[in-house]
Amino acid sequence: MGMTDVLIVGAGPTGLVLACDLARRGAAVRIVDRSPAPPRTSRAKGPNSRSLEILDDLGVVEEVLAAGSAPLPMLKYRDRLPVAEADPWADSAPSPGVPYDRGWLIAQWRLEGILRDRLACYGVHVEPGREVVGLTQARHDDGGGNEDIKDVGGSEGSKGYEGNGGHVDVAYAEGPAGRARYVVGCDGAHSSVRKLLGIGFEGTTDDDQVMVCGDVDLAEGALDRTRWHQWFDEDGAVMLCPIPGTRTGWWFQAGPERDGRGRPLAPTADGFRRLLARHTALPGPALTRAELLSTYRVNVRMADRFRAGRVLLAGDAAHVHAIAGGLGMNTGIQDAFNLGWKLGLVLTGHADAQLLDTYEEERLPVAARTLDLTSERLRATLEAIRRPGGGLDAAITPDTTGLDGGYRWSSLAAGDREPEADKSGPRAGDRAPDAPCADVVTGARTRLHRVFAGPRTTVLGFGPGSTAVLRGTADAYGDAGVRICRVYAAHEDRAGAEPGAVVDDAGHAVAAYGTEASGRTGTGTVVVVRPDHHVGLVAPADDARSVREYLRRLHGTGRSAERSPDMVDAVR
């Protein structure tokens, strides 16, 4: 039975992002999905601002932008007549610290296709028709007994299974069994992996809050494709949003038809035509095709833990929430980006397996907050649409961009010495801001997020005093998953600059990271940025010890760790 490093169960956006991140680290990855072919589902309408940054890091954002469209203004109707128009992004623009100020519309199946193609570049392909029906965790390969994973529960769930020989045996409905060092369940709200773990999925399903959805074709020219059309009447609603990359395709969402006892009817093409004729000025036959029909119920649930030993949960397998604000797929993508680098460092032996405990520590509170946020946005939207002119723009707030999410509470957020009131710029745990700058050697335009891109930790040095810490870091870690980047102010002498250094010619980086004061004193500042673009540590440049201790936690002792047996290079 061949051993793989990580088995990912479920090939939606969450599983594919995780697979891409691990594959580029050189990990041996398998990704399986119970569907016999990639599903063409009508679900998420696209990545938000933070997910676009992640897709940029993975090298696919240009394709995603080309295949989709910017979010559209919303045209709202009452009694078939237009009554209001809203563009939630009218006052928004990209900024030096936030290049993607808005999400993007793209069909989920199209995004998945782009990610599958990216994964194929690493020689990894989704294995369809593979349903996981059994998981058994072994403590060691040295004769230690196997133990059914359902018995792993309780607070000891992540302990005892972390010996070098530990693994998970995987049984499939058909075909030979498999074995993996870690398994990640990205297999959706009805997750088999979560059920096999015996992990609770507490919450509520509201059978009254129901929507029917599908992908439809409308007769060409039937509606203006530069708008998201929303008819909200007292007795129901229809929403039609053009699907980017199609000439006549639309996302259809509506309140369901109901039977004589008020129970929602299943969606059908003819039912969609009746809804169209009832609420809009379009005749039913204008809808020429309807497929991928589904019923959506408001489901608000969360797993009580995201990890049991060597098995973890991500995306809808770990949490589902109201559709308002479009955060479902995005939260999953962001789960995967938090987990990927941690698994990568543990697999290579750089970091202790306890690093994986920080995945739940960081992402479970985010999921809980997202549940609250989406439920509140749904309530606000339902309230808004009772009045003529109200619409889905009520669901969109700065919170839904994903840019303000951080982990200040995390054990990976190293404390800094300055009182909060005296500090500008990001604190440990916050998202690391972007900033335009130029390569010192070539003069080529670049951005800090481009510097961060790829599966490495970055140590930024501001001010001349940071040079010693950067050199020490380069000596200790070289190519072992850590890169250094000296950020020069426009007025600084750049003679002898190391390759990879950048010049902050417009002052955006200094402003974003709040390092003006330290630059004047000559001490300088060092910022350690995790591979997922979150700040791990902000320290004065003369505090080399704090930097060393933080890097040791993530990357071991440096070059000595690289020479240990069974070591796979973290970067290739």
Side-chain angles (χ1 to χ4, degrees):
M1 189 186 303
M3 175 89 83
T4 194
D5 285 335
V6 182
L7 172 71
I8 297 168
V9 183
T14 302
L16 290 166
V17 165
L18 181 60
C20 287
D21 197 21
L22 287 166
R24 67 178 179 170
R25 296 171 181 280
V29 183
R30 286 181 68 189
I31 178 167
V32 300
D33 197 281
R34 73 176 70 153
S35 301
R40 284 280 294 250
T41 48
S42 180
R43 290 187 192 158
K45 288 191 176 65
N48 65 9
S49 300
R50 177 65 190 131
S51 294
L52 286 170
E53 292 181 344
I54 291 168
L55 295 168
D56 192 347
D57 192 284
L58 293 175
V60 296
V61 78
E62 297 302 331
E63 262 186 283
V64 170
L65 295 175
S69 83
L72 300 173
M74 301 176 183
L75 184 55
K76 293 168 287 188
Y77 303 76
R78 178 65 65 112
D79 299 327
R80 301 187 177 182
L81 297 172
V83 292
E85 184 165 301
D87 181 357
W89 307 106
D91 298 326
S92 173
S95 67
V98 179
Y100 306 109
D101 65 306
R102 63 196 67 197
W104 210 247
L105 291 178
I106 181 173
Q108 181 173 326
W109 59 265
R110 184 76 184 89
L111 174 63
E112 289 174 2
I114 290 169
L115 288 166
R116 278 197 305 274
D117 289 346
R118 184 64 175 173
L119 190 55
C121 296
Y122 301 107
V124 180
H125 302 272
V126 175
E127 301 173 43
R130 301 281 278 162
E131 183 181 359
V132 172
V133 295
L135 294 168
T136 308
Q137 272 195 87
R139 288 181 187 271
H140 298 288
D141 284 346
D142 56 6
N146 284 1
E147 201 171 313
D148 190 295
I149 204 161
K150 286 183 182 174
D151 298 331
V152 175
S155 61
E156 299 300 305
S158 60
K159 299 180 178 73
Y161 292 86
E162 303 302 350
N164 290 332
H167 63 264
V168 185
D169 287 327
V170 184
Y172 297 99
E174 294 178 22
R179 179 171 284 180
R181 292 171 69 183
Y182 291 93
V183 174
V184 186
C186 303
D187 50 343
H190 302 291
S191 169
S192 301
V193 171
R194 188 188 65 243
K195 290 170 185 170
L196 290 167
L197 291 169
I199 288 178
F201 201 47
E202 294 304 311
T204 58
T205 301
D206 190 331
D207 286 319
D208 287 336
Q209 290 183 340
V210 178
M211 189 166 67
V212 289
C213 313
D215 285 13
V216 304
D217 274 339
L218 296 181
E220 202 161 351
L223 275 179
D224 176 3
R225 289 183 64 84
T226 67
R227 296 291 181 273
W228 184 351
H229 302 267
Q230 303 172 8
W231 292 264
F232 291 110
D233 296 324
E234 288 183 24
D235 63 341
V238 169
M239 292 151 274
L240 282 163
C241 182
I243 301 175
T246 68
R247 217 172 68 238
T248 56
W250 297 76
W251 283 300
F252 181 101
Q253 297 165 282
E257 294 187 297
R258 294 181 182 266
D259 66 14
R261 297 167 70 177
R263 293 173 302 196
L265 295 173
T268 63
D270 281 340
F272 281 10
R273 290 187 182 102
R274 286 191 293 271
L275 288 165
L276 197 70
R278 182 191 308 165
H279 293 288
T280 81
L282 296 172
L287 194 154
T288 57
R289 176 191 64 97
E291 61 180 20
L292 310 178
L293 309 186
S294 64
T295 298
Y296 168 81
R297 285 178 172 79
V298 174
N299 231 337
V300 180
R301 295 178 181 274
M302 192 165 83
D304 46 43
R305 56 204 168 103
F306 291 4
R307 181 183 182 208
R310 291 177 169 268
V311 187
L312 302 104
L313 299 174
D316 286 356
H319 44 76
V320 291
H321 26 75
I323 200 168
L327 292 176
M329 176 186 79
N330 287 293
T331 307
I333 287 173
Q334 290 152 36
D335 285 348
F337 204 55
N338 182 288
L339 179 57
W341 67 273
K342 296 172 181 177
L343 270 172
L345 289 175
V346 171
L347 286 167
T348 56
H350 287 282
D352 186 276
Q354 285 177 317
L355 181 63
L356 297 180
D357 289 334
T358 68
Y359 167 64
E360 178 181 296
E361 179 194 359
E362 293 183 341
R363 293 305 296 172
L364 194 146
V366 170
R369 178 174 172 270
T370 304
L371 260 61
D372 292 343
L373 172 65
T374 51
S375 297
E376 164 55 28
R377 288 298 90 211
L378 177 66
R379 188 202 60 71
T381 303
L382 292 173
E383 179 69 27
I385 64 177
R386 289 164 58 182
R387 300 183 301 276
L392 299 188
D393 48 307
I396 296 170
T397 69
D399 288 337
T400 57
T401 63
L403 295 170
D404 62 345
Y407 313 115
R408 288 189 185 183
W409 63 84
S410 169
S411 59
L412 289 182
D416 50 51
R417 297 172 182 171
E418 290 186 64
E420 187 138 354
D422 299 340
K423 178 149 180 65
S424 60
R427 299 182 71 82
D430 293 353
R431 167 189 167 272
D434 202 354
C437 44
D439 185 285
V440 164
V441 177
T442 66
R445 300 306 304 169
T446 186
R447 301 190 276 116
L448 285 184
H449 277 206
R450 283 267 183 269
V451 173
F452 304 156
R456 288 183 283 177
T457 298
T458 305
V459 182
L460 293 179
F462 293 87
S466 67
T467 305
V469 176
L470 294 181
R471 283 201 181 126
T473 300
D475 289 345
Y477 291 93
D479 296 324
V482 182
R483 69 162 74 75
I484 62 166
C485 177
R486 172 78 160 86
V487 182
Y488 287 91
H491 60 77
E492 279 187 84
D493 177 12
R494 301 187 283 277
E498 303 273 339
V502 297
V503 56
D504 180 26
D505 45 7
H508 292 304
V510 161
Y513 285 83
T515 58
E516 297 99 328
S518 62
R520 280 199 299 273
T521 62
T523 311
T525 302
V526 175
V527 181
V528 180
V529 180
R530 304 168 5 169
D532 60 355
H533 309 165
H534 282 269
V535 174
L537 171 76
V538 181
D542 56 8
D543 186 7
R545 183 163 160 253
S546 290
V547 177
R548 252 195 328 271
E549 285 175 0
Y550 192 83
L551 291 175
R552 187 178 296 132
R553 183 169 177 199
L554 301 187
H555 295 273
T557 53
R559 292 202 182 278
S560 59
E562 271 192 293
R563 291 194 292 273
S564 63
D566 304 319
M567 179 59 65
V568 184
D569 187 1
V571 182
R572 64 172 195 188

